[in-house]
Amino acid sequence: VLIKESSNVRTIILNRTKQLNALSLEMISRLLEVFHAYEEDPNVKLIIMKGEGRAFCAGGDVAAVVNDINKGSWKLGANFFSKEFTLNYLMATYTKPQVSLLKGIVMGGGAGVSIHGRFRVVTDNTVFAMPETALGLFPDVGASYYLSRLPGFFGEYVGLTGARLDGAEMLACGLATHFVPLEKLSLLEDALCKANSGDPKIINSIINEFSNTNPKLKEKSQYFRLKTIDRCFSRRTVEQIISALVSYKKEKEADKNMDDWISWTIQSLKKASPTSLKISLRSIREGRLQGVGQCLIREYRMVCSVMQGEYSKDFFEGCRALLLDKDKNPKWNPSKLEFVSKDMVDRYFAALDDKDWEDLKLPARSNLPVYAISKL
């Protein structure tokens, strides 16, 4: 984590380029320290977040988490997530504006340290995804809060399939606040440093000067499928979602303009961990009715159950297949959706049966701007 100071502006740069700026425990601890300090410091008015190299941040370093757990105890994993989720909460309720410049890859934990901030600036090469269900995890870092607030059932679609969105799609669905062409990104950064202001109205108007307010969605953008997505992903269960997609595909089979999107969507769901799909769907649905803090506390329960590995070891198997051995052939257990009962899903949402474990304690927040209060 590098820090550049320019009068009242602090630019935080994620600088672990070989790992696409994946967040290690050290990086998360450092960010927590810095965000706490800057909130107290009257000389800091604005925070800019960016990534060095070709990614903003590819996520939390879950391979390292799995390594730690395999060497010691699942509680080492719990410690990583408790710090990460606390940082997400701090950013979501921050009293000073944060501008995230989302160049390149923004996935998983990378979304957690940016989407919760006030301004999210995307560009030509931004690629966003929450790919957790393919890893035996679920969209965490407060994703059940922000995915559940996307138009219609787009959040369910993005969270369950791991679909990748580009900058224009992120702006269209509300994950991003601005789209700035790549060649203007460094000019924007300079302008924000020069203006030296913490007033959100001023910051917004500066970003607007460099923005393309209406970047064109690609002809085959998933965002144009919102009607179909709503029709299928509004179903009550994952099984019903897949069956709605399959019947839609059959209906459209005669259509010459039918493309691969629907097959891709069905395949993505069939490849993902059945347990992950079920807990992810329930998590996003519950998130619609909860504030950001409640979402993070619930997600922490869920992630601790995943780390503990008592009901399913899919997370360890997913990491093995995708990140460690890279054979891309995870053997999920339970192997089918019908083997994951409601009772099994319920356990991920309950407090853990472990005398040393406790729910996530989020820091008390005061004097919050209206913008932050609305998220509680």
Side-chain angles (χ1 to χ4, degrees):
V1 175
L2 307 176
I3 291 167
K4 207 170 77 191
E5 299 194 1
S6 160
S7 48
N8 302 104
V9 180
R10 298 290 176 272
T11 304
I12 300 174
I13 305 158
L14 303 175
N15 183 37
R16 196 182 176 213
T17 50
K18 280 204 179 88
Q19 290 83 5
L20 300 176
N21 301 327
L23 299 166
S24 62
L25 182 60
E26 292 72 24
M27 289 165 80
I28 289 169
S29 305
R30 177 73 180 125
L31 289 169
L32 257 176
E33 195 184 300
V34 163
F35 268 81
H36 275 304
Y38 290 164
E39 195 162 47
E40 300 301 309
D41 185 347
N43 294 317
V44 177
K45 292 178 181 169
L46 167 66
I47 292 174
I48 297 174
M49 281 274 288
K50 63 183 208 173
E52 197 55 62
R54 59 195 190 88
F56 170 77
C57 170
D61 190 347
V62 287
V65 172
V66 168
N67 251 334
D68 283 351
I69 295 173
N70 289 337
K71 275 192 241 156
S73 144
W74 66 273
K75 291 190 176 144
L76 294 169
N79 178 45
F80 175 92
F81 286 100
S82 105
K83 288 203 155 160
E84 185 179 28
F85 291 8
T86 303
L87 176 65
N88 300 145
Y89 183 67
L90 190 59
M91 288 177 164
T93 57
Y94 211 58
T95 55
K96 296 176 182 182
Q98 172 186 340
V99 176
S100 305
L101 304 176
L102 303 178
K103 201 171 83 176
I105 298 163
V106 188
M107 292 185 184
V113 293
S114 54
I115 304 292
H116 291 297
R118 182 89 188 241
F119 299 102
R120 288 98 53 196
V121 180
V122 291
T123 187
D124 312 67
N125 69 354
T126 309
V127 183
F128 168 92
M130 296 302 290
E132 288 81 2
T133 59
L135 265 182
L137 196 55
F138 60 92
D140 59 340
V141 297
S144 62
Y145 177 81
Y146 58 76
L147 290 179
S148 64
R149 280 154 180 79
L150 299 186
F153 292 85
F154 199 60
E156 275 89 339
Y157 163 70
V158 170
L160 295 180
T161 63
R164 297 182 166 204
L165 307 182
D166 63 20
E169 289 171 318
M170 286 179 74
L171 186 72
C173 74
L175 283 167
T177 56
H178 298 80
F179 183 105
V180 171
L182 205 46
E183 68 274 9
K184 292 186 181 170
L185 213 52
S186 57
L187 299 171
L188 164 63
E189 201 184 322
D190 293 344
L192 287 168
C193 290
K194 274 203 191 78
N196 201 26
S197 168
D199 181 341
K201 283 198 183 72
I202 293 172
I203 294 164
N204 191 43
S205 70
I206 293 169
I207 306 175
N208 279 337
E209 281 170 40
F210 296 89
S211 289
N212 171 354
T213 48
N214 205 0
K216 252 182 102 56
L217 287 163
K218 290 192 187 100
E219 191 190 338
K220 292 191 166 176
S221 166
Q222 313 158 80
Y223 201 64
F224 293 138
R225 326 272 181 167
L226 204 47
K227 223 170 121 181
T228 309
I229 287 171
D230 285 352
R231 168 180 159 172
C232 301
F233 282 82
S234 57
R235 304 300 164 104
R236 208 172 52 80
T237 65
V238 180
E239 290 91 334
Q240 287 168 355
I241 289 172
I242 292 175
S243 123
L245 287 162
V246 170
S247 44
Y248 178 78
K249 188 182 172 188
K250 281 202 185 107
E251 240 175 72
K252 293 285 176 201
E253 237 137 24
D255 183 352
K256 291 283 174 282
N257 299 324
M258 185 61 189
D259 59 19
D260 307 334
W261 173 77
I262 195 88
S263 306
W264 175 87
T265 304
I266 295 165
Q267 274 318 105
S268 302
L269 294 171
K270 289 193 166 162
K271 273 202 290 224
S273 148
T275 304
S276 288
L277 288 173
K278 289 206 168 178
I279 64 175
S280 300
L281 181 63
R282 175 158 158 196
S283 176
I284 294 167
R285 298 265 156 101
E286 288 197 2
R288 272 201 176 82
L289 306 170
Q290 294 178 324
V292 71
Q294 290 168 300
C295 284
L296 286 161
I297 290 169
R298 171 178 44 70
E299 289 175 14
Y300 181 67
R301 282 186 172 191
M302 294 169 69
V303 89
C304 286
S305 289
V306 169
M307 299 296 118
Q308 204 180 21
E310 226 168 81
Y311 315 124
S312 162
K313 296 202 170 3
D314 278 2
F315 173 58
F316 300 92
E317 174 57 14
C319 286
R320 179 205 65 73
L322 274 77
L323 305 175
L324 305 169
D325 302 346
K326 302 193 174 162
D327 60 30
K328 299 205 164 105
N329 189 18
K331 300 275 180 278
W332 304 126
N333 183 18
S335 60
K336 292 196 166 94
L337 286 164
E338 59 263 33
F339 301 152
V340 185
S341 67
K342 182 183 176 305
D343 184 45
M344 286 155 90
V345 173
D346 287 345
R347 290 172 192 171
Y348 285 89
F349 292 77
L352 270 72
D353 186 13
D354 181 305
K355 61 176 184 350
D356 301 325
W357 180 88
E358 47 179 41
D359 269 323
L360 182 63
K361 299 272 186 289
L362 292 170
R365 311 287 289 133
S366 57
N367 305 327
L368 296 182
V370 172
Y371 155 81
I373 292 170
S374 68
K375 296 181 183 178
L376 302 177

